[in-house]
Each structure stands twice: as C-alpha cells, then as structure tokens.
C-alpha cells in the first residue's frame, strides 16, 4: 500500500478528510449493519436532536505504525466500553463495544495509506461519535441516531519536545457532582470553552478545575486527567465526576507493574499541591504534558521538576507507555490491536 504524499513531520492538530469513514444508523430500535462511505458531509434535519439539545457523545483514539511496521490501535475496547457508558447517561442507544472495535479496525484498514510512518511523530487520529439525528422539539431523547468514525492524520503533539506548562485553578466549574463529568459528552466541552479562552487570555495553558461542591479538591483539566508524583508514588484523583482517562489508567498500570511505583487514587486537596514533586496532564493526544507551575489565585505552586523539562518519574512513565504503544516495550496482554 502506498502512503499518501504528506509531509508527516509538519502536520498540526487539525482536520483533514481521509478516504473513508464508518457510518451506522439507528432507526426503529435497531442499528443497521454499518458501512464505509466516501462522503465527509452529513445532511440532516434542521431540528435534529443534536442541534437543538446537544445529544452527542464522542471518543478519541489513535492508529499508528509500530517499530516493526504494523498498524495498530491502543486499547480500543476501553474506548468502546466508555462510549457505551456515555450513551446510557444521555439516553442514547448503545453502540455495542464489540462492534465499536470492529468499526475501528475497518476504518483504519480502509485509511491505511493515511497512517503516518513509524518515527514521524505523527499518528492517525480517530474520532468516533454518535448523535441524535431526527427532529426533536419537545425536550426528549431522539429516536434516530448516527454512529460515525472519521480519521484524520495529526502531527506530533509536541514539536521540539514537551516543555512544561503553567496552568491556573479555574473559577468556572466543569462538572457537577452528579452531572456528566464522567462521560465524554460534547456538552462538557461546550461548557469549557469560555473558561479556556479566559485562561489563555490570562497567559495560562490550561485550567485546573476544582470540585464544584467545595472548590477544595483537584478534579482535572478540560480534556486531560492530572497525575502527581511524590517520592515513589503516583497520585491521582478518584473523583466520580472526572472522565476515566484510558491514558491515566494505563499509566497507573505501568507505574505499578513496570516501574515498581505505588499508585494512590484519592482526594487531592489544593492545599497539599506544594508537597508534590512532579505534575502532568494525561490524555490520548499528548500522552503526558508536564506541568511546571499551578497558579491558584496568584499563589504559585512550582514543582521541583522545573520549567525546562519533564521530571524524571514522569519521563519514565512517558517513555514506558509510548514504548509499549510503539512496540519497543512488551505490552500487557490485550493492549495492542494489530490492524495489519
Ligand atoms: C478524553 C478526555 C480525557 C483523556 O482521556 P483518554 O482516554 O486518556 O484520552 C480526560 N479528560 C477529559 C475531560 C476528556 O474528555
């Protein structure tokens, strides 16, 4: 298969339509068999449920080329299971996780020419999503839905290495205690836009959202979970209103089983941040972005790892997980789905 003629090294994180996308429609209480299609455009009613009441959920994962030349994806079964949970919370029909994994396989295979080569730093980003498509004017769940996965090649998240960032403790809330913070709903992102634009205008890279009820505990940022290092310990929040990041859960496994670290999931108070040595944001896009400083209403918490590079423990976690993903380090059973 001949690769597309793309300067992989200079790709940004943007949308570029590829040859095929996977589409399945839900109507009269059932999903159709699904198909790969050419058309990147969607035509639907102006009154579609997604347009009126934001009934939509999504996922994000990547396909890439390993050191030995295979095209693979990373733990797509967990994305499929999480999308089931997201759908249930928004009263949408579940697209079964087994079918999700198979759809991922089909759409990556059909776009194999768009999967960046090993070593380029680029990957093929997959965006599975689902939305209510029939007219809904009285507030209720839609009766018809579309599940779709498109792919787009994206550049290395960090051009020229991951520099630590500065984030701020936000005055806005991302998620309510019994709300939708734990699912991947588009509406969570709509709510975060004003907060992120505000943070950027103030010179910060991201928002750290405290828990909405007491504003004393660390939750997460708009699109990434937060990890902390203290001695030989990896500490993360166990809040029920954060999104269960697959990267974070994988890093916890790596910390415990590959690096001999202790893992602690617990309440993390803003008042104890100064006791941590390293901090990072984790998610599919960047794996880990190191955090150098957290600004809590003018009070600066500076981690001893500094503003020049990743701290040593986070660097180890990053190297091991990306090593597993790229086939340089042996993966735990079931983590790597080989497409071809
Ligand atoms: C997608 C997402 C993450 C990261 O999850 P991964 O599965 O690691 O990509 C973290 N927080 C939020 C709010 C998200 O939407």
């Amino acid at each position: 298969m001949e690769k597309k003629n793309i300067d992989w090294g200079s790709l940004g994180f943007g949308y570029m339509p590829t040859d095929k996308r996977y589409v399945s429609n839900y109507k009269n209480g059932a999903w159709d068999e699904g198909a790969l299609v050419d058309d990147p455009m969607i035509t639907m009613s102006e009154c579609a449920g997604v347009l009126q009441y934001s009934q939509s959920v999504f996922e994000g994962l990547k396909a890439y080329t390993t050191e030995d030349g295979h095209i693979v994806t990373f733990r797509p079964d967990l994305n499929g299971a999480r999308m089931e949970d997201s759908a249930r919370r928004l009263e949408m029909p579940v697209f079964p996780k087994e079918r999700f994994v198979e759809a991922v396989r089909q759409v990556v295979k059909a776009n194999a020419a768009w999967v960046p080569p090993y070593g380029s730093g680029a990957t093929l980003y997959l965006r599975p999503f689902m939305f209510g498509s029939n007219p809904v004017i009285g507030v209720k769940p839609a009766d018809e839905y579309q599940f779709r996965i498109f792919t787009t090649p994206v550049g290395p998240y960090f051009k020229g290495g991951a520099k630590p960032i500065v984030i701020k403790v936000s005055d806005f809330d991302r998620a309510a205690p019994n709300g939708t913070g734990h699912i991947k709903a588009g509406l969570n992102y709509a709510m975060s836009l004003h907060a992120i634009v505000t943070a950027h205008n103030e010179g910060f890279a991201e928002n750290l959202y405290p828990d909405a009820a007491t504003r004393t505990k660390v939750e997460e940022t708009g699109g990434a979970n937060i990890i902390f290092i203290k001695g030989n310990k990896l500490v993360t929040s166990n809040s029920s209103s954060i999104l269960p990041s697959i990267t974070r859960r994988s890093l916890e496994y790596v910390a415990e089983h590959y690096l001999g670290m202790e893992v602690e999931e617990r309440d993390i108070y803003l008042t104890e941040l100064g006791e941590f040595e390293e901090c990072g944001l984790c998610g599919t896009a960047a794996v880990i972005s190191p955090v150098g400083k957290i600004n809590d209403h003018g009070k600066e918490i500076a981690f001893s790892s500094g503003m020049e590079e990743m701290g040593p423990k986070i660097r180890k976690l990053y190297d091991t997980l990306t090593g597993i993903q790229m086939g340089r380090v042996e993966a735990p059973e079931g983590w790597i789905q080989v497409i071809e």
Side-chain angles (χ1 to χ4, degrees):
M1 165 264 316
E2 199 165 326
K3 292 283 177 191
K4 298 287 169 181
N5 183 20
I6 292 174
D7 180 5
W8 306 105
S10 60
L11 279 172
F13 200 90
Y15 170 69
M16 179 188 293
T18 64
D19 297 334
K20 299 284 181 186
R21 58 279 302 134
Y22 179 93
V23 177
S24 179
N25 290 302
Y26 181 90
K27 199 174 176 171
N28 300 323
W31 290 104
D32 66 17
E33 69 277 18
L36 292 165
V37 303
D38 294 333
D39 190 357
M41 305 304 279
I42 296 172
T43 302
M44 62 182 159
S45 166
E46 61 191 355
C47 194
V50 61
L51 298 179
Q52 300 313 318
Y53 303 123
S54 299
Q55 204 184 9
S56 84
V57 297
F58 68 100
E59 275 301 326
L61 67 162
K62 300 194 288 202
Y64 44 90
T65 309
T66 56
E67 191 171 32
D68 61 0
H70 289 295
I71 293 177
V72 305
T73 59
F74 182 72
R75 310 187 80 180
D77 51 319
L78 297 189
N79 294 98
R82 191 168 66 187
M83 196 161 185
E84 286 194 358
D85 293 340
S86 297
R88 284 187 196 99
R89 180 62 177 79
L90 294 195
E91 290 294 336
M92 303 166 89
V94 160
F95 190 78
K97 56 181 185 289
E98 298 75 21
R99 283 199 63 188
F100 179 100
V101 170
E102 172 57 18
V104 164
R105 193 190 64 77
Q106 286 185 26
V107 77
V108 172
K109 204 172 161 63
N111 292 295
W114 297 87
V115 179
Y118 176 78
S120 64
T123 56
L124 187 69
Y125 185 73
L126 275 68
R127 171 51 56 90
F129 61 113
M130 194 204 289
F131 56 92
S133 53
N134 67 300
V136 175
I137 194 77
V139 178
K140 66 179 175 75
D143 303 309
E144 296 174 11
Y145 294 85
Q146 182 167 111
F147 170 85
R148 193 177 185 99
I149 308 178
F150 68 75
T151 70
T152 186
V154 295
Y157 199 82
F158 299 118
K159 288 212 170 87
K163 281 277 174 195
I165 54 173
V166 182
I167 66 177
K168 70 166 284 187
V169 176
S170 182
D171 290 320
F172 297 101
D173 292 324
R174 187 192 83 89
N178 299 299
T180 57
H182 60 300
I183 63 160
K184 231 170 158 68
L187 57 92
N188 292 342
Y189 278 76
M191 295 222 306
S192 75
L193 294 176
H194 179 61
I196 192 65
V197 169
T198 303
H200 286 169
N201 287 341
E202 293 170 359
F204 299 104
E206 264 294 349
N207 281 303
L208 181 161
Y209 294 100
D211 71 296
T214 70
R215 307 196 72 79
T216 58
K217 291 180 275 188
V218 173
E219 295 246 300
E220 61 171 326
T221 68
N225 284 180
I226 310 184
I227 59 173
F228 296 96
I229 303 288
K230 186 180 194 171
N232 197 37
K233 231 183 256 174
L234 171 64
V235 185
T236 65
S237 165
N238 65 352
S239 164
S240 57
S241 50
I242 66 171
L243 197 279
S245 156
I246 295 164
T247 313
R248 191 251 306 155
R249 288 181 275 160
S250 302
L251 288 168
E252 289 177 4
Y253 185 92
V254 164
E256 202 171 325
H257 298 274
Y258 284 69
L259 303 177
M261 295 172 70
E262 254 181 86
V263 174
E264 227 170 59
E265 278 188 21
R266 61 167 171 87
D267 285 338
I268 302 170
Y269 289 88
L270 291 173
T271 49
E272 66 172 308
L273 293 184
E275 295 167 26
F276 295 115
E277 289 135 27
E278 301 177 40
C279 174
L281 309 182
C282 61
T284 294
V287 183
I288 310 180
S289 322
V291 174
K293 290 178 192 166
I294 297 176
N295 189 301
D296 184 1
H297 300 90
K299 189 181 102 191
E300 251 194 4
I301 298 126
F303 298 102
S304 53
S305 50
M307 288 301 295
E308 283 309 307
E309 53 190 16
M310 282 190 182
K313 285 265 166 31
I314 282 189
R315 159 62 63 186
K316 268 205 175 130
L317 285 163
Y318 178 87
D319 286 346
T320 309
L321 185 56
T322 53
I324 288 170
Q325 292 177 329
M326 292 296 165
R328 298 185 296 259
V329 175
E330 193 177 343
E333 180 78 33
W335 278 25
I336 305 294
Q337 178 198 33
V338 179
I339 308 285
E340 62 176 46

